[in-house]
Amino acid sequence: MTLPEEEYAEIAADAGSGRVPSRARVVAARFFGTRQGRLGFALLALLFLLAFAGPLVAPWSYTDMDFSAFMRPPSASHWFGTLQTGSDVFALTLRGAQKSLTVGLLVAVVSTAVAAVVGSFAGYFLGWTDRTLMWVADLLLVLPAFLILAIMSPLLAAGRLLLFALMLALFLWMVTSKIVRGMTKAIKEREYVKAARFMGVPPARIIYRHVLPNLASLLVVDATLNVSAAILTETTLSYFGFGIQPPDVSLGALIADGSRTALYAPWTFWFAAGGLVLAVLAVNLVGDALRDALDPGAGGGT
């Protein structure tokens, strides 16, 4: 078996300098060595910068209404135009992007953390712990998530973004937990884990020190891909009125409003839709590049 050229170059360069390359450095070099990694990172950084720093320089806020400009096309005073209420589309789009990106990150972190804990504990302890945790996972897999979230939508009044994110995360961890469970069963049989167990190290410490670090690649990639899944789920719920509630806005709510006027006022629809497409594209590019960087043999990495 031969090493890939770029990996060999990294090792050779570090060997020449007398330093041992860290895993983080090797992964970062692989990530930014791919075109999709650079493009995805640049797009994502630009979206975050625009969503969170853009309102500081925007002339209008998402709550302002210009009663002298109803349904106006993009202009110097309203960069993305206005809605039929006089609201500034640029400010609304940035606010929607803030909410969608925040929900995506929160859901990804929470759902991946739950999957890691549930899957590793089920795979390590087996027995009734395994049966109970996997029963809960199977139960959540067969429940109609969209219907439950729609029924609970009255609880999602403005200011309850964290509750909304937790509810979304509740339905996104089950499949990953089953993968983690299977890998934990294999890791549990390795010599260093057996040695730690025979030395009397508590099971929880073994899981956090020896099992989960071996699953870091899977969990990082899963968290990245869950961001786009959460953004799309949030947008779909908001499109049908079950997501983030007024007076706050999200990309899904903007797309739903803009779809009614898209034919004769396309700026009310296309900016929000374009923002959503760019966000999902950027996250998927980062996720694919990260997967190839962490495990070059799994995805046909460059």
Side-chain angles (χ1 to χ4, degrees), residues 117-131 133 181 184-185 188 197 201-208 211:
V117 172
V118 170
S120 59
F121 274 73
Y124 185 87
F125 289 104
L126 298 175
W128 67 268
T129 304
D130 180 32
R131 290 193 295 273
L133 293 176
R181 171 184 174 271
T184 300
K185 289 172 67 178
K188 182 183 175 183
R197 194 161 58 242
V201 178
R205 185 174 297 177
I206 293 176
I207 289 174
Y208 288 113
V211 176

Side-chain angles (χ1 to χ4, degrees), residues 67-149:
F67 296 109
S68 64
F70 297 113
M71 200 70 80
R72 294 291 179 83
S75 63
S77 57
H78 295 284
W79 300 337
F80 285 3
T82 62
L83 300 179
Q84 52 192 353
T85 58
S87 299
D88 187 71
V89 176
F90 180 75
L92 289 172
T93 304
L94 295 188
R95 181 68 176 181
Q98 281 183 16
K99 294 298 177 182
S100 295
L101 291 172
T102 303
V103 168
L105 288 177
L106 283 175
V107 171
V109 170
V110 173
S111 62
T112 302
V114 172
V117 172
V118 170
S120 59
F121 274 73
Y124 185 87
F125 289 104
L126 298 175
W128 67 268
T129 304
D130 180 32
R131 290 193 295 273
T132 303
L133 293 176
M134 289 301 103
W135 179 82
V136 174
D138 291 335
L139 177 64
L140 289 175
L141 275 174
V142 300
L143 288 178
F146 189 89
L147 180 60
I148 293 174
L149 291 170

Side-chain angles (χ1 to χ4, degrees), residues 99-100 103 146 149-161 163-165 167-168 230-253 256:
K99 294 298 177 182
S100 295
V103 168
F146 189 89
L149 291 170
I151 292 172
M152 297 182 70
S153 62
L155 299 175
L156 308 177
R160 294 185 175 178
L161 186 67
L163 176 61
F164 181 53
M167 288 172 59
L168 282 181
I231 290 175
L232 287 176
T233 305
E234 180 275 324
T235 303
T236 305
L237 286 167
S238 297
Y239 182 90
F240 290 107
F242 301 130
I244 294 173
Q245 302 295 308
D248 219 330
V249 295
S250 73
L251 290 180

Side-chain angles (χ1 to χ4, degrees), residues 210-231:
H210 300 294
V211 176
L212 291 181
N214 280 284
L215 301 173
S217 301
L218 167 72
L219 297 175
V220 168
V221 174
D222 178 74
T224 307
L225 297 179
N226 274 346
V227 174
S228 60
I231 290 175

Side-chain angles (χ1 to χ4, degrees), residues 184-207:
T184 300
K185 289 172 67 178
I187 295 172
K188 182 183 175 183
E189 301 303 321
R190 293 182 181 175
E191 295 298 329
Y192 59 90
V193 176
K194 287 182 178 178
R197 194 161 58 242
F198 293 148
M199 291 172 65
V201 178
R205 185 174 297 177
I206 293 176
I207 289 174

